[in-house]
Amino acid sequence: QNHRGIAEVLLYLGQTAQKQGDFVQAEATFQEGLALARQCREAGLISDFLSDLGALTWRRGDYVKAEEYLKEGLRLARQIEDRTNICIALRILGSIASRQGDYGRSEVFLQEALNLAQQIGDREQTCAVLTNLGVTLGEQGHHSQAEEYLKDGLELARQLGKRDLICALLVNLGEAEFAQENYTQAKAFFQDGLELARQIGHREWISVLSVNLGLAIRKQGDYGAAELHLQEALRLAQQLSIPQITANALYEYGNLYLDRQQLEAAESAFHEMLAVTPENGQDLITLARYGIARTIAAKGDVSKAQRLGETSVVMLEAMGHRSSKEARDWLNYITSRAGGGYEEQ
């Protein structure tokens, strides 16, 4: 009985550390609690710890370990009919599949999670799954469908007063608007989200929103202001050790340097992005290589850029990534210009 009580306290302490962005402390606490829960064979608690460890290791970029925790947790949660933990495991497995470029598998996980969350009337999980579905659809370029899920999620998050979820939804609504070239509306979503993230001191969302606001401002041509936002985003992402956000910030740095014709700095940013991206983060790896190809083209080595670019474009198209059309248009352009010089568009 005493072991169970201690494990419950450790679960709470780990969750608190995770919310504060102290992922190292959170992981150590969860591991200690999981060992205790296994000792006293508390299936429900084991399932709770596996869900939290899966979520944490996913955010820290260890997709393989995250899948191990989540799949074990999912099996156990199904055995004891713990529908909340089934839902959490499916939701995060959906996000991992999306990052690996397997959008079909991602949607299967997420639709099951959504149906389950709605069946049990868990509005917070419903909101979180709607967010992830919006992300997966947005990654494939299905922006209007993504917006429907995200707007439903935002309405629900506001009813619940869940400010961290509101931040997540504002990020993704901004991305949907940005992808449709509605830059002013996108910027408004990002600014609202960033203001809220600062109010609640949520460093992860401050970092994500700073990347996106930097991107929106760069598109409007204010490179200096864009760089200030990217500096903050990168500093926070590195402090938090969240490789996905670090990689996204470096990608936007690379794009900013390309716009400024600072080609060595651009190439360095894309290579650093490649170095920090988790080994099966296929979407980010491919975008980094696409960035390197664009830099090589801007330096004038068009044939080498074509070879590297072709591989990246084919990969983006194979996974149905939203950047595939932009990348294909760029490749067609440099191919048509292969006889002469090239200037970054």
Side-chain angles (χ1 to χ4, degrees):
Q1 185 62 41
N2 190 37
H3 276 10
R4 179 187 170 84
I6 295 167
E8 284 174 342
V9 171
L10 288 167
L11 184 67
Y12 171 76
L13 290 172
Q15 288 169 343
T16 303
Q18 183 170 227
K19 281 177 187 160
Q20 291 169 344
D22 189 347
F23 297 148
V24 175
Q25 182 59 52
E27 185 166 7
T29 308
F30 287 146
Q31 291 289 6
E32 189 182 344
L34 178 60
L36 269 182
R38 289 196 198 277
Q39 274 178 37
C40 53
R41 298 184 181 179
E42 286 283 354
L45 263 178
I46 295 169
S47 178
D48 288 338
F49 279 113
L50 288 167
S51 290
D52 279 330
L53 276 165
L56 180 64
T57 46
W58 137 246
R59 286 161 84 193
R60 296 189 73 194
D62 190 343
Y63 298 170
V64 174
K65 195 71 187 164
E67 278 196 277
E68 283 176 21
Y69 287 132
L70 293 164
K71 284 177 176 173
E72 184 190 348
L74 183 59
R75 279 195 305 275
L76 188 56
R78 288 197 197 277
Q79 280 170 21
I80 61 174
E81 297 183 358
D82 179 346
R83 293 191 292 178
T84 299
N85 276 327
I86 294 171
C87 190
I88 292 168
L90 288 168
R91 175 170 61 80
I92 303 163
L93 285 166
S95 291
I96 293 172
S98 179
R99 271 287 175 225
Q100 292 170 333
D102 192 345
Y103 299 121
R105 187 159 146 264
S106 174
E107 284 186 57
V108 169
F109 283 133
L110 293 172
Q111 285 294 350
E112 186 184 347
L114 183 61
N115 292 340
L116 194 53
Q118 289 172 334
Q119 274 171 32
I120 60 177
D122 188 330
R123 297 199 301 160
E124 191 172 334
Q125 279 303 318
T126 299
C127 188
V129 178
L130 286 167
T131 307
N132 292 16
L133 265 169
V135 172
T136 291
L137 289 162
E139 288 292 328
Q140 297 169 79
H142 304 322
H143 301 298
S144 57
Q145 198 182 348
E147 277 189 288
E148 286 176 33
Y149 283 120
L150 294 169
K151 283 176 177 169
D152 287 349
L154 185 59
E155 187 181 341
L156 196 49
R158 285 185 166 143
Q159 287 169 18
L160 294 167
K162 297 294 294 181
R163 293 188 293 178
D164 55 340
L165 280 171
I166 294 169
C167 285
L169 286 149
L170 288 170
V171 169
N172 291 300
L173 279 164
E175 287 193 351
E177 292 292 348
F178 185 88
Q180 295 169 87
E181 300 183 3
N182 301 328
Y183 299 135
T184 304
Q185 182 58 61
K187 189 175 164 185
F189 278 129
F190 296 147
Q191 283 171 327
D192 287 351
L194 185 57
E195 187 180 332
L196 183 57
R198 289 198 200 283
Q199 281 172 23
I200 61 175
H202 199 302
R203 292 188 300 162
E204 186 178 346
W205 286 123
I206 292 170
S207 184
V208 171
L209 282 150
S210 295
V211 173
N212 288 357
L213 194 51
L215 167 58
I217 291 169
R218 175 177 71 81
K219 278 289 186 184
Q220 294 178 325
D222 188 345
Y223 298 150
E227 187 163 16
L228 288 175
H229 285 294
L230 292 176
Q231 277 172 359
E232 181 177 20
L234 190 57
R235 178 178 55 79
L236 281 173
Q238 287 170 334
Q239 279 175 13
L240 292 166
S241 298
I242 305 180
Q244 296 98 313
I245 306 175
T246 305
N248 277 318
L250 287 165
Y251 185 64
E252 292 312 327
Y253 252 118
N255 288 328
L256 176 67
Y257 289 137
L258 272 178
D259 281 355
R260 287 172 154 178
Q261 291 291 302
Q262 295 171 255
L263 304 183
E264 295 302 329
E267 191 165 9
S268 174
F270 293 130
H271 277 292
E272 193 181 341
M273 176 187 177
L274 208 49
V276 301
T277 297
E279 62 181 301
N280 32 3
Q282 201 54 60
D283 57 344
L284 292 169
I285 289 167
T286 308
L287 285 174
R289 288 177 175 153
Y290 168 51
I292 292 165
R294 283 181 291 139
T295 310
I296 291 167
K299 285 178 166 183
D301 190 345
V302 179
S303 61
K304 185 178 177 184
Q306 275 180 278
R307 288 195 303 276
L308 185 56
E310 181 67 48
T311 308
S312 306
V313 171
V314 167
M315 287 290 291
L316 289 168
E317 287 174 341
M319 65 178 80
H321 194 278
R322 63 183 172 187
S323 296
S324 56
K325 184 185 182 303
E326 171 208 314
R328 175 59 69 185
D329 289 347
W330 167 82
L331 185 63
N332 289 342
Y333 175 77
I334 66 156
T335 302
S336 72
R337 293 283 302 276
Y342 170 73
E343 191 174 306
E344 177 64 22
Q345 293 301 294

